[in-house]
Amino acid sequence: DGGITQSPKYLFRKEGQNVTLSCEQNLNHDAMYWYRQDPGQGLRLIYYSQIVNDFQKGDIAEGYSVSREKKESFPLTVTSAQKNPTAFYLCASSPGLASGELFFGEGSRLTVL
Amino acid sequence: AQSVTQLDSQVPVFEEAPVELRCNYSSSVSVYLFWYVQYPNQGLQLLLKYLSGSTLVKGINGFEAEFNKSQTSFHLRKPSVHISDTAEYFCAVRYNSGGYQKVTFGTGTKLQVIP
């Protein structure tokens, strides 16, 4: 089935460690997005990419990094510079058309101990 | 940049009663509007979207929304809710920013359907 796969679903890490969250899509979508979700704050955009080898910072990019070497993959690294990394992370993809909706993965919940 | 406001963080409603979830966005420039639903510990699913044309948009699960350009609103409605509608609902706007397509979400409204 076509869709977006995020892994792992749950992740625990010690403070100071870098963590990479995986996001893979087989929908042949050009655009991909990473959002962070915290209670009462909705979804905040971390990074987005419209095409391979190109990505842009979103509203809260500090402490995060991404790569887009393949169309189907958009991994997110949460670095030790991110001051409050515990959150629910959502990856999404979309056709390149301006009118296209986002298709979401099931999310990854990161807890930093 | 666009912003989306969902004034109601929680909306309790009795089963089979009507409900309206409010959404306002910041600008009347060309945007595309969406409503998504999220069940606990899951990703978001599209309920409906407004691209152009008729201002009344019908979506899945009996939901509909009305686009009001003059009031920059896109309120979500359902005439009779069911227990299974208990979830969090997000309004979103997609727009062009410097040649890139960005999507901004509201802070969400938790709909609690009371039996």
Side-chain angles (χ1 to χ4, degrees):
Chain A
D1 286 348
I4 300 179
T5 302
Q6 288 187 241
S7 62
K9 191 169 177 67
Y10 298 96
L11 186 59
F12 296 87
R13 278 294 181 267
K14 292 183 179 179
E15 200 170 318
Q17 290 182 329
N18 288 358
V19 169
T20 297
L21 307 180
S22 170
C23 179
E24 303 277 332
Q25 55 103 353
N26 60 5
L27 299 168
N28 200 32
H29 287 168
D30 289 313
M32 296 188 75
Y33 303 78
W34 273 107
Y35 288 89
R36 170 181 171 140
Q37 186 176 18
D38 298 280
Q41 297 194 51
L43 279 69
R44 293 181 290 166
L45 183 63
I46 305 173
Y47 269 97
Y48 59 107
S49 167
Q50 285 202 173
I51 56 172
V52 174
N53 293 322
D54 182 63
F55 49 83
Q56 302 296 316
K57 291 182 178 180
D59 302 315
I60 56 165
E62 186 176 350
Y64 298 98
S65 66
V66 293
S67 63
R68 186 86 188 275
E69 297 176 1
K70 298 185 295 183
K71 187 175 185 178
E72 59 270 23
S73 178
F74 192 41
L76 174 75
T77 297
V78 184
T79 75
S80 56
Q82 168 50 233
K83 297 189 186 310
N84 185 19
T86 295
F88 190 51
Y89 292 89
L90 286 162
C91 179
S93 71
S94 175
L97 296 173
S99 58
E101 68 265 31
L102 298 184
F103 292 76
F104 283 85
E106 292 290 295
S108 292
R109 186 168 296 281
L110 171 63
T111 302
V112 175
L113 306 172
Chain B
Q2 290 279 341
S3 65
V4 177
T5 302
Q6 292 181 249
L7 287 174
D8 304 308
S9 59
Q10 294 190 55
V11 173
V13 62
F14 285 104
E15 193 174 12
E16 298 183 5
V19 69
E20 178 180 84
L21 306 183
R22 296 180 293 169
C23 172
N24 288 86
Y25 59 99
S26 60
S27 173
S28 60
V29 298
S30 181
V31 296
Y32 301 101
L33 297 161
F34 305 83
W35 275 99
Y36 291 85
V37 60
Q38 184 182 35
Y39 300 100
N41 294 311
Q42 293 186 22
L44 279 68
Q45 303 170 33
L46 181 72
L47 271 180
L48 48 80
K49 61 182 177 182
Y50 173 78
L51 306 180
S52 64
S54 173
T55 57
L56 184 63
V57 180
K58 294 192 182 296
I60 63 171
N61 300 338
F63 284 94
E64 62 182 33
E66 185 158 18
F67 170 63
N68 188 319
K69 188 174 181 179
S70 62
Q71 297 188 10
T72 60
S73 68
F74 191 54
H75 300 333
L76 181 70
R77 301 186 184 103
K78 186 169 182 177
S80 176
V81 297
H82 189 266
I83 291 290
S84 59
D85 293 323
T86 295
E88 191 160 17
Y89 293 79
F90 292 92
C91 182
V93 59
R94 183 166 185 168
Y95 61 100
N96 187 292
S97 175
Y100 293 92
Q101 292 296 321
K102 292 187 72 174
V103 182
T104 296
F105 286 82
T107 51
T109 298
K110 288 186 178 177
L111 175 62
Q112 182 184 6
V113 179
I114 304 164

